[in-house]
Amino acid sequence: MAGAYDLQKDLRNIQAPVIRFEQVTKEYQKGVHAINDITFSINKGEFVFIVGSSGSGKSTLIRLMLREILPTKGKVFVAGRELSRLRRHQISKYRRSIGVVFQDFRLLKDRNAYENVAFAQRVVETPPGDIKRNVPRMLSLVGLSEKYKAFPSELSGGEQQRVALARALINNPMILLADEPTGNLDPKNSQEIMHLLEEINRRGTTVVVVTHNHEIVDMMQKRVITLRNGRIISDEEKGGYVYAKY
Ligand code: ADP
Ligand code: MG
């Protein structure tokens, strides 16, 4: 398909950063800056935390990366493509090429764990034989092999987030975005989800995690971008949760 949009292929080939923000500003209302003149890059294979207090602009960054919203000023590039230039029919395909998990899991309540994960493959028309092979493998990676028949209401928060993670990863995205993935979890489950994200990153996926969780950020020793009032106030390799210092 000449000219067809293929993020995965772009990502395999690119030299450019996987994600780049260039002087990005987002105003939901005129004069109110949710994001204020932000510039940064994330390279292929990185694991990055985005931290900052409530209202500092973290979710807005994620929504810009997903192209749910457009910048008021500036440019967002993913795999070297400027997202505002994607055509309408390319946008849903673009979004499906990125794995996403949220604080509230967002599982289909009337489907069991297996079906929630399989659904993501059906949407992209994966052949049934492949789905039957892939889904158990992914549920096993997140430690849920035994619970594949369970519905979300029969799973703990930690288990539901594992299903959400399996669903986010089943189509082999090159990027995983997680907005407060441990926000509803206890410390033990939070740590386990983080170790899973680390494992996924080790396998080559670029991982961006928004979090409030100081202990986890300090424990993981990854790059940390700190936001305050829509601006980056620090960006450190192997950082800790520095917000408290400011
Ligand atoms: P965080 O995720 O760090 O808590 P957000 O990105 O959600 O922060 O919000 C940043 C700022 O933008 C906040 O002041 C918030 O009130 C505002 N904001 C977020 N979403 C909207 C929206 N849809 N409409 C208007 N203002 C919004
Ligand atoms: Mg948020």
Side-chain angles (χ1 to χ4, degrees):
M1 282 204 294
Y5 179 68
D6 186 344
L7 178 80
Q8 302 295 42
K9 188 156 152 269
D10 283 2
L11 278 164
R12 260 177 258 122
N13 297 332
I14 55 160
Q15 305 300 319
V18 172
I19 296 168
R20 174 153 179 83
F21 278 56
E22 271 180 24
Q23 298 184 300
V24 173
T25 291
K26 176 65 189 178
E27 301 176 13
Y28 291 103
Q29 288 136 12
K30 213 163 169 41
V32 186
H33 295 80
I35 290 292
N36 197 343
D37 193 24
I38 275 189
T39 298
F40 68 94
S41 297
I42 294 175
N43 290 321
K44 199 167 167 178
E46 274 197 281
F47 188 121
V48 183
F49 283 114
I50 296 175
V51 305
S53 60
S54 182
S56 58
K58 305 180 299 296
S59 293
T60 300
L61 275 194
I62 297 286
R63 297 181 64 207
L64 286 162
M65 290 175 196
L66 286 170
R67 210 233 187 254
E68 284 180 18
I69 52 175
L70 288 170
T72 309
K73 280 188 219 141
K75 293 175 178 172
V76 179
F77 298 88
V78 173
R81 292 203 181 231
E82 198 204 331
L83 297 188
S84 69
R85 299 179 68 161
L86 291 183
R87 293 174 187 276
R88 187 174 291 274
H89 70 275
Q90 296 174 316
I91 293 172
S92 54
K93 186 167 181 211
Y94 165 72
R95 287 199 193 119
R96 286 199 296 264
S97 72
I98 293 183
V100 199
V101 290
F102 297 97
Q103 177 170 356
D104 56 0
F105 322 132
R106 302 193 190 179
L107 300 174
L108 301 169
K109 299 204 178 341
D110 59 347
R111 294 177 197 229
N112 66 26
Y114 181 97
E115 286 298 325
N116 264 281
V117 180
F119 185 75
Q121 292 237 279
R122 294 206 185 97
V123 170
V124 297
E125 290 168 15
T126 306
D130 292 356
I131 297 178
K132 271 192 188 137
R133 201 172 51 243
N134 295 341
V135 175
R137 188 173 48 79
M138 192 53 71
L139 285 172
S140 154
L141 175 72
V142 300
L144 271 187
S145 294
E146 269 98 76
K147 304 241 169 158
Y148 73 99
K149 279 185 177 164
F151 286 85
S153 61
E154 299 167 329
L155 295 169
S156 72
E159 289 167 342
Q160 288 182 64
Q161 195 60 299
R162 287 158 192 271
V163 176
L165 206 47
R167 177 181 61 182
L169 295 169
I170 191 75
N171 295 327
N172 283 317
M174 297 292 282
I175 303 174
L176 179 72
L177 303 179
D179 193 348
E180 313 248 16
T182 62
N184 285 331
L185 305 183
D186 62 28
K188 180 167 170 286
N189 277 300
S190 298
Q191 274 209 14
E192 282 171 14
I193 291 290
M194 281 299 154
H195 285 136
L196 272 174
L197 293 177
E198 204 169 24
E199 172 62 22
I200 287 149
N201 176 244
R202 213 174 288 128
R203 294 170 181 224
T205 305
T206 304
V207 175
V208 180
V209 184
V210 165
T211 186
H212 264 109
N213 192 319
H214 301 221
E215 289 81 18
I216 277 179
V217 172
D218 291 341
M219 172 191 82
M220 298 278 283
Q221 293 289 297
K222 305 290 188 192
R223 178 177 170 194
V224 181
I225 296 175
T226 306
L227 294 182
R228 188 186 201 180
N229 295 332
R231 291 186 188 271
I232 294 178
I233 57 164
S234 87
D235 182 349
E236 295 182 50
E237 292 303 319
K238 301 196 180 206
Y241 195 104
V242 296
Y243 183 76
K245 284 193 246 160
Y246 289 84

